[in-house]
Amino acid sequence: MKNELVNRPVYLDWLNRWKDRDVIKVATGLRRCGKSSVLELFRRQLRENGIADSNILSINFESWDEEYPLDARELYRYIVQRLGSGTNYVFLDEVQHVREFERAVDALYVREDVDLYITGSNAFFLSGELATLLTGRYVELRMLPFSFAEYRSARGEGENPEDAFNCYLTYGGMPFAARLDDSQSIADYLGGVFNTVLVEDVAARHPRMDMRAFRDLSAFVADNVGNITSRKRVAAGLTQAGTRVSPATVGTYLDALMENYLAFKARRYDLKGREYLETLEKYYLGDLGFRFWLLGKEQGDLGRRLENAVYLELLRRYRSVCVGKVGAAEVDFVALGQDGPEYFQVSQTVLDEATHAREFAPLEAIADNYSKTVLTLDRVGMGDYRGIRHLNVIDWMLGA
């Protein structure tokens, strides 16, 4: 079972939707979040649908099983020599390791016999020259670690949903970690992933960065997920804890966290003024397991972890997610989809009357008819309240 690939239907549907279309398919996301596995699942589908192995070429530039050219022109020649007749499905995994890879990608794209799929593990991969060279010629699949539904599938659905969800909020959804059964093994694995990102991605791009300060900032962000913050506040908090950094340096470090999908920034949106605000954003981790690794198992604050998990789930389901402001009140999340915005509040419980009033009031203050939802761990009191849905967050995560 540990070697079986977990089905990830949302991503596979996306790949099938764009298959054979005249665009480059680019999968991005955190290291070890499952990009290679999803592409392998897709290749299996291709074979099941009659595509011959001679028309499927897959290269993983982080694999040591075979040596591949790391120069753009040599890579192009290597691939062309191996193409079969008809359409060839070419997969280049972690292609950023190739020098001037964007030129090889562009040269392959213009060939009529190539349907091209590439992956990368940092946002810089899609910035600069590649984005300029390929403007309008690629589509991006933004991948995240396991959703809770995928996590349950990986561990076996016989486990009690509440127990599984507690583990998910503690250890996160990194695919390999989901198959591990003890805290120490999970911590060792997550530490390995984090340090790989630190050494191979952050340090390579920012060689003068203080890696100890970067880790301290990562722990600070992990401890403050869901808090409205600013670079100045982060700098003050780190300085108080003994790590002196300037707001400008904090900005560089936060950018590095986001470049490598270790964290995401949720911008604030004024629902009355209909504009984004440039300050006091929120940050959420790309996987809750890093909070466990950085802060320890006894990390407390279930509410923050719950909010982080909901934010990631919304990123999976919607085009973009921001934090809403309604006058002096706040809406946890505004999710923007094809049919307009949807509004979400997240709380452990709203059974207490004061908490119920506090969580529902911002949604009631929104003067439109778009969907409004409160997500809690409650198992009683579900239903509609003045047009606002109250749902159990576990059921919502599982699509029930």
Side-chain angles (χ1 to χ4, degrees):
M1 178 179 175
K2 289 186 180 294
N3 294 321
E4 292 180 2
L5 296 180
V6 174
N7 186 33
R8 307 191 73 176
V10 173
Y11 298 142
L12 287 173
D13 287 347
W14 187 94
L15 290 168
N16 278 299
R17 187 167 71 250
W18 287 101
K19 173 179 170 289
D20 294 326
R21 295 193 181 185
D22 189 26
V23 287
I24 302 164
K25 277 64 75 171
V26 182
T28 60
L30 178 66
R31 279 182 178 270
R32 307 294 180 260
C33 75
K35 298 186 295 296
S36 300
S37 295
V38 167
L39 291 184
E40 174 57 28
L41 287 169
F42 182 59
R43 288 191 290 270
R44 291 181 185 181
Q45 283 191 358
L46 291 176
R47 295 185 183 99
E48 290 171 359
N49 292 329
I51 304 299
D53 284 339
S54 58
N55 290 87
I56 300 174
L57 178 60
S58 177
I59 299 175
N60 185 339
F61 292 99
E62 293 193 335
S63 171
W64 283 22
D65 292 337
E66 186 176 343
E67 289 189 10
Y68 300 109
L70 296 179
D71 172 80
R73 187 174 295 276
E74 292 177 8
L75 175 64
Y76 176 78
R77 290 171 178 165
Y78 176 92
I79 292 172
V80 169
Q81 290 170 1
R82 288 160 175 77
L83 296 179
S85 60
T87 300
N88 293 268
Y89 298 88
V90 177
F91 299 85
L92 305 179
D93 207 353
E94 303 296 350
V95 71
Q96 73 271 8
H97 292 293
V98 178
R99 289 182 295 276
E100 296 186 311
F101 69 88
E102 60 276 3
R103 300 190 181 280
V105 166
D106 187 47
L108 289 168
Y109 163 75
V110 300
R111 293 183 63 98
E112 293 185 358
D113 57 350
V114 170
D115 190 22
L116 187 58
Y117 302 77
I118 65 177
T119 78
S121 292
N122 54 62
F124 180 67
F125 166 72
L126 272 183
S127 65
E129 192 168 353
L130 178 64
T132 301
L133 190 64
L134 302 180
T135 297
R137 289 187 282 175
Y138 73 86
V139 288
E140 181 183 3
L141 173 62
R142 180 182 59 189
M143 288 188 58
L144 294 167
F146 280 163
S147 66
F148 180 55
E150 292 165 340
Y151 180 84
R152 285 202 75 204
S153 178
R155 293 181 60 83
E157 296 186 0
E159 188 175 15
N160 178 279
E162 278 74 17
D163 291 340
F165 193 58
N166 184 55
C167 289
Y168 183 70
L169 291 181
T170 301
Y171 303 122
M174 293 295 281
F176 188 80
R179 299 284 180 81
L180 300 175
D181 296 321
D182 65 279
S183 298
Q184 188 57 56
S185 295
I186 295 171
D188 291 345
Y189 175 72
L190 293 172
V193 174
F194 187 92
N195 287 321
T196 298
V197 173
L198 203 65
V199 172
E200 296 192 14
D201 297 321
V202 177
R205 178 146 162 72
H206 306 277
R208 300 179 62 183
M209 185 177 288
D210 182 337
M211 290 302 142
R212 180 176 178 179
F214 180 83
R215 178 170 168 171
D216 288 345
L217 177 136
S218 300
F220 184 90
V221 170
D223 199 29
N224 287 274
V225 290
N227 275 349
I228 291 177
T229 190
S230 67
R231 296 178 179 188
K232 185 175 181 180
R233 289 183 182 181
V234 175
L238 287 172
T239 299
Q240 188 175 7
T243 302
R244 187 174 296 278
V245 291
S246 69
T249 300
V250 165
T252 301
Y253 288 13
L254 287 172
D255 288 345
L257 276 174
M258 292 184 289
E259 281 176 4
N260 295 284
Y261 306 104
L262 292 167
F264 293 93
K265 177 170 70 175
R267 298 174 64 189
R268 298 181 78 212
Y269 185 75
D270 186 338
L271 293 168
K272 291 186 176 181
R274 300 297 177 186
E275 62 178 353
Y276 283 102
L277 305 177
E278 296 301 323
T279 59
L280 301 179
E281 57 271 359
K282 290 186 176 184
Y283 290 89
Y284 295 95
L285 294 178
D287 184 74
L288 275 166
F290 293 119
R291 191 173 202 266
F292 158 69
W293 182 71
L294 289 162
L295 304 180
K297 184 177 180 180
E298 301 302 324
Q299 51 188 287
D301 212 332
L302 177 60
R304 292 190 199 280
R305 290 183 282 146
L306 186 63
E307 187 175 325
N308 201 138
V310 169
Y311 173 77
L312 293 177
E313 187 63 26
L314 290 171
L315 282 185
R316 295 182 183 95
R317 301 184 186 189
Y318 296 87
R319 187 175 68 250
S320 64
V321 183
C322 57
V323 178
K325 178 181 178 294
V326 189
E330 180 182 298
V331 177
D332 286 334
F333 299 118
V334 180
L336 302 176
Q338 293 182 346
D339 300 323
E342 296 187 30
Y343 309 104
F344 294 86
Q345 288 286 82
V346 184
S347 179
Q348 287 179 245
T349 179
V350 291
L351 295 182
D352 173 79
E353 288 187 13
T355 305
H356 188 283
R358 184 183 70 241
E359 298 296 336
F360 278 76
L363 297 180
E364 293 181 71
I366 300 173
D368 65 35
N369 295 317
Y370 290 109
S371 175
K372 303 173 180 67
T373 305
V374 174
L375 298 170
T376 74
L377 291 169
D378 297 330
R379 283 293 183 186
V380 297
M382 303 294 106
D384 285 1
Y385 175 82
R386 296 181 182 176
I388 299 169
R389 298 183 304 166
H390 178 197
L391 302 178
N392 176 268
V393 66
I394 298 175
D395 293 343
W396 176 79
M397 288 266 190
L398 295 175

